[in-house]
Amino acid sequence: MKDKIMSKASDLFLKLGFKSVTMDDIAGEMCISKKTIYKYFCNKEILIEESTAMVHDEIHTIIEQIVAKNHNAIEENFEIRKMFKEMFKSADTSPVYQMKKHYPEIYAKVITREMEECNTLFKQNIDKGIEQGLYRKEISIENYMKFYYTLIFGIKEQISSEKEGQKIELEILEYHTRAMATAKGILELEKQLQNYIH
């Protein structure tokens, strides 16, 4: 039951926003009493914290599956971008923006955890791209990881529209890739951009 509540809550939070969804809404959607929810979660903040942790785990499991498919480094990033686009397509307002605005303490925890996982992922991707001759050998991997991370999360925090955020994130991915790419990498990037848009 606890997992079902978290699953329904995270769906509603992502679609309608963390602030606007109430415990009553979740109970109503699930045809259960509010008391049942409170049996597992003593307040909305704890429910938000646990359901975002669950979404986080789901996302990183999917990312691991994408990475395991052995795409080239550039294609891998585009596949991950498509996954996010698909996952958040029904959201109007950016969940990250909402969480930062209304639940800053939870947001701080989420971001700390996200930063560790993203940095590992970015580093693996850059190493892989260099090995494949798609990214330049002489780049500073640490700095490029920081640049990419700062751009993505800096933008996510400030844009309330999920649709607008998705558009800009694609441009950030292009910007990040062009900055690192070899001539071979640029060709792959152009191919991925064509496939992504059509």
Side-chain angles (χ1 to χ4, degrees), residues 32-161:
I32 58 172
S33 71
K34 208 159 64 166
K35 202 170 139 193
T36 307
I37 297 177
Y38 282 114
K39 193 170 120 186
Y40 299 98
F41 305 96
C42 58
N43 59 39
K44 186 177 166 185
E45 283 73 17
I46 289 178
L47 178 55
I48 289 175
E49 220 170 305
E50 293 201 26
S51 57
T52 50
M54 188 180 86
V55 170
H56 170 93
D57 291 343
E58 281 170 16
I59 287 172
H60 285 278
T61 301
I62 297 168
I63 289 174
E64 280 166 20
Q65 289 165 357
I66 292 170
V67 171
K69 286 182 179 165
N70 278 325
H71 296 294
N72 70 55
I74 294 173
E75 189 178 10
E76 181 176 282
N77 280 338
F78 275 85
E79 288 300 313
I80 291 169
R81 173 100 314 281
K82 280 179 201 161
M83 179 267 296
F84 278 110
K85 185 182 176 187
E86 197 52 40
M87 202 163 196
F88 296 108
K89 70 177 178 205
S90 59
D92 289 330
T93 42
S94 159
V96 174
Y97 174 87
Q98 278 219 351
M99 187 183 284
K100 186 175 188 213
K101 187 175 176 192
H102 302 294
Y103 299 97
E105 300 82 9
I106 300 173
Y107 173 79
K109 280 186 200 168
V110 167
I111 282 302
T112 306
R113 190 177 56 207
E114 203 55 55
M115 195 182 281
E116 287 166 18
E117 297 217 14
C118 282
N119 281 340
T120 306
L121 185 71
F122 295 163
K123 184 174 184 335
Q124 285 170 349
N125 181 268
I126 295 172
D127 286 337
K128 184 177 183 175
I130 290 171
E131 250 175 67
Q132 294 170 336
L134 297 169
Y135 303 150
R136 293 176 290 117
K137 282 188 179 74
E138 67 279 6
I139 63 172
S140 159
I141 295 175
E142 290 298 316
N143 284 342
Y144 275 70
M145 282 161 51
K146 278 186 203 134
F147 298 156
Y148 191 41
Y149 185 87
T150 305
L151 275 174
I152 285 208
F153 282 89
I155 298 273
K156 268 182 180 293
E157 288 171 5
Q158 288 165 35
I159 293 182
S160 62
S161 157

Side-chain angles (χ1 to χ4, degrees), residues 169-193:
E169 282 174 47
L170 179 62
E171 288 173 8
I172 292 170
L173 175 56
E174 181 183 352
Y175 180 80
H176 171 68
T177 309
R178 278 191 196 282
M180 299 188 295
T182 58
K184 181 182 166 188
I186 295 287
L187 288 174
E188 180 60 29
L189 171 65
E190 296 295 347
K191 185 177 116 185
Q192 291 301 325
L193 284 168

